[in-house]
Each structure stands twice: as structure tokens, then as C-alpha cells.
């Protein structure tokens, strides 16, 4: 990927923030070779997308790091 350095910094900060949030929420580490666990994670992501808390948290991250 070829992106401008300031944009790369934004991406790195977002990844770090998401990683820390996943640690705070005790999200399981996935093994990509285990299809059942990956499918379970996909199902959880659908449920989490509807979660009001998740929506508010994403909005907060966007407001703090991308505006």
C-alpha cells in the first residue's frame, strides 16, 4: 500500500486503539486455521454491530482519531 505518512499514522493509532479495546473486553485470539472459531467470531461481530455500546464506542474512536 502506498499512503501518505500522516494517514499511515492514523491507521496505526486506530489499530492500536482497537487492539487495546479487544484486550479490555477479553476478546479471544483467533486462529485463522480454525474455521469454527472464525465463524463464531463472524456471528459475534453481527451481534456486536447491533449493540448500542459498540456503536457509541466506534463513534468515539472516529471523533477522537479521525476528525
Amino acid at each position: 500500500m502506498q499512503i501518505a505518512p500522516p494517514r499511515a499514522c492514523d491507521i496505526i493509532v486506530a489499530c492500536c486503539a482497537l487492539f487495546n479495546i479487544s484486550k479490555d473486553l477479553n476478546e479471544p485470539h483467533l486462529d485463522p486455521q480454525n474455521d469454527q472459531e472464525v465463524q463464531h467470531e463472524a456471528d459475534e461481530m453481527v451481534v456486536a454491530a447491533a449493540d448500542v455500546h459498540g456503536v457509541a464506542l466506534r463513534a468515539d474512536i472516529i471523533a477522537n482519531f479521525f476528525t
Side-chain angles (χ1 to χ4, degrees):
M1 283 190 340
Q2 294 180 347
I3 54 176
R7 183 67 175 157
C9 290
D10 290 342
I11 293 169
I12 292 168
V13 168
C15 290
C16 292
L18 292 172
F19 175 76
N20 289 334
I21 291 168
S22 72
K23 286 182 68 175
D24 289 343
L25 298 175
N26 295 322
E27 290 293 325
H29 295 284
L30 296 179
D31 179 7
Q33 295 176 353
N34 186 346
D35 290 337
Q36 291 176 342
E37 194 171 13
V38 171
Q39 182 59 46
H40 180 67
E41 178 68 16
D43 293 342
E44 287 179 354
M45 289 172 58
V46 170
V47 171
D51 182 24
V52 175
H53 178 71
V55 172
L57 188 56
R58 283 190 294 278
D60 189 38
I61 291 169
I62 290 168
N64 288 321
F65 294 105
F66 296 102
T67 56

